Amino acid sequence: MSAEPLDQTDLTLVPLGYKLGSKLPLWVLHRCADLVWPILFYLIRYRRKVVDQNLKIAFPNMTGKQRSQLARRFYRGFVDTAFETIKALDMPAAEFTRRVKMINGHILTKAMQSRTQPVIVTTLHMGNWEWMLHAGALHFNTIIDPVYKPLHSEKSERFIQALRDRFGGKSLKMGDTARNVMRHRKRFRLISMVADQAPSGAERAHWIPLFGQVTGFYTGAETLARATNIPLVFAYCRRVKRGYYEVTFKELAPQPIERKADGNPITELYRDLVEDAVRAQPEDWLWSNRRFKRQPPSDAVVSE
């Protein structure tokens, strides 16, 4: 299997609406976004209660007016990202590398220098994480297998699968990831984990504060790295201006990675990096995600 990204766009199962939308020029899609975001924000009020509550938790010292202004900026960026994601199905490879710049790319280059094992890149729902996926594969000349949770909409699921596998990667269901990594631990590739989602009640969580609110975090990346000594890197994407982004890389765990540790220090460092990235440019995070919906069970150990 080639480790180099080759365009293998498969539109076989992609719904017609997504195919047609991806053919529109990006400036047209941005004009559409200008019309849609006020409808979501003011009329439909799409997840407004979730967004407002999340912002209140994260920024208690802001006035209501400041949080409302931040929410409007979030919705504008959120809808831009949605339309840009549709365009990603048809956007030329050169456009990804032109519009998405890599900062501190040497950190990832160092982690993948041996090309004898996978590298796990943990990231978050910030900026345009779909463009980041393709730009990263093209910039570093390697395939990326993204870990994902199945979507509720069958049509959206078919679209996002075709999109994420466009440049040679193979999407991995979250529940199958550990088995896949252990089975192919000697095959070089990048594995992308968008790890800022809240674990469900059936999934193991590490309970630590985020913005002062105790919430659950996945520990899968840390568990895999400790079991296999696979390098771990953190990356986040921020919007520089409309249609242009920067991806910044930071070291998450130096090698060799100790097999055992007290608690989950790598997961806690990931939490710190997430919070730093969001505070630096808060409008770019996915505030519509119900990040704080679960409370720790009575027998859970809560770390700082």
Side-chain angles (χ1 to χ4, degrees), residues 193-265:
M193 293 185 174
V194 185
D196 61 335
Q197 299 180 77
S200 70
E203 295 166 325
R204 181 172 177 266
H206 180 50
W207 295 93
I208 49 178
L210 176 69
F211 295 108
Q213 174 80 29
V214 173
T215 185
F217 276 81
Y218 287 109
T219 60
E222 178 168 2
T223 300
L224 275 173
R226 292 196 185 283
T228 62
N229 198 38
I230 289 175
L232 271 174
V233 173
F234 173 79
Y236 71 95
C237 179
R238 75 175 190 93
R239 184 178 283 103
V240 178
K241 61 180 180 179
R242 195 172 209 182
Y244 290 85
Y245 297 87
E246 285 182 352
V247 177
T248 299
F249 295 92
K250 297 188 177 183
E251 186 178 71
L252 191 56
Q255 288 189 290
I257 300 174
E258 296 181 7
R259 293 187 64 87
K260 295 182 179 180
D262 293 333
N264 294 95

Side-chain angles (χ1 to χ4, degrees), residues 42-301:
Y42 291 106
L43 297 180
I44 299 176
R45 298 180 62 86
Y46 172 75
R47 293 202 174 190
R48 278 288 302 278
K49 289 184 178 180
V50 174
V51 172
D52 291 345
Q53 180 62 24
N54 283 344
L55 291 177
K56 191 173 183 179
I57 289 171
F59 303 107
N61 295 326
M62 278 188 181
T63 65
K65 182 178 180 180
Q66 288 173 324
R67 286 196 292 267
S68 182
Q69 291 171 342
L70 176 54
R72 284 196 292 271
R73 295 200 302 272
F74 159 69
Y75 276 88
R76 284 197 295 268
F78 171 71
V79 176
D80 266 11
T81 298
F83 279 98
E84 289 169 0
T85 298
I86 294 173
K87 182 60 185 174
L89 193 65
D90 184 68
M91 199 161 81
E95 280 293 278
F96 288 110
T97 54
R98 185 175 76 86
R99 291 178 174 274
V100 185
K101 301 302 181 184
M102 303 291 149
I103 308 298
N104 293 339
H106 66 278
I107 292 175
L108 181 56
T109 299
K110 179 182 177 182
M112 54 190 270
Q113 63 185 352
S114 71
R115 290 187 172 243
T116 58
Q117 61 181 336
V119 175
I120 296 175
V121 180
T122 61
T123 184
L124 65 156
H125 288 97
M126 187 171 182
N128 191 323
W129 51 93
E130 302 295 351
W131 281 21
M132 175 175 66
L133 179 73
H134 293 329
L138 295 165
H139 180 89
F140 295 101
N141 193 34
T142 185
I143 62 169
I144 302 178
D145 290 348
V147 177
Y148 76 103
K149 273 187 171 183
L151 302 175
H152 296 299
S153 166
E154 181 182 346
K155 290 183 178 180
S156 296
E157 176 76 7
R158 295 204 304 267
F159 159 69
I160 210 71
Q161 284 285 90
L163 172 62
R164 290 178 178 171
D165 296 350
R166 177 179 171 184
F167 289 105
K170 183 64 176 176
S171 297
L172 303 174
K173 289 184 178 180
M174 184 174 290
D176 299 335
T177 300
R179 187 181 307 109
N180 182 284
V181 171
M182 296 301 291
R183 183 179 301 165
H184 304 288
R185 59 194 296 177
K186 300 298 183 181
R187 177 162 68 85
F188 171 70
R189 54 183 164 152
L190 300 185
I191 299 172
S192 173
M193 293 185 174
V194 185
D196 61 335
Q197 299 180 77
S200 70
E203 295 166 325
R204 181 172 177 266
H206 180 50
W207 295 93
I208 49 178
L210 176 69
F211 295 108
Q213 174 80 29
V214 173
T215 185
F217 276 81
Y218 287 109
T219 60
E222 178 168 2
T223 300
L224 275 173
R226 292 196 185 283
T228 62
N229 198 38
I230 289 175
L232 271 174
V233 173
F234 173 79
Y236 71 95
C237 179
R238 75 175 190 93
R239 184 178 283 103
V240 178
K241 61 180 180 179
R242 195 172 209 182
Y244 290 85
Y245 297 87
E246 285 182 352
V247 177
T248 299
F249 295 92
K250 297 188 177 183
E251 186 178 71
L252 191 56
Q255 288 189 290
I257 300 174
E258 296 181 7
R259 293 187 64 87
K260 295 182 179 180
D262 293 333
N264 294 95
I266 295 175
T267 301
E268 291 170 16
L269 176 57
Y270 169 80
R271 180 272 315 272
D272 294 342
L273 294 173
V274 166
E275 189 164 327
D276 288 346
V278 174
R279 288 190 183 278
Q281 196 153 319
E283 63 269 26
D284 279 352
W285 199 38
L286 190 62
W287 294 102
S288 56
N289 182 20
R290 294 185 174 92
R291 187 65 183 84
F292 304 104
K293 64 181 179 180
R294 284 186 62 209
Q295 296 298 311
S298 57
D299 59 346
V301 176

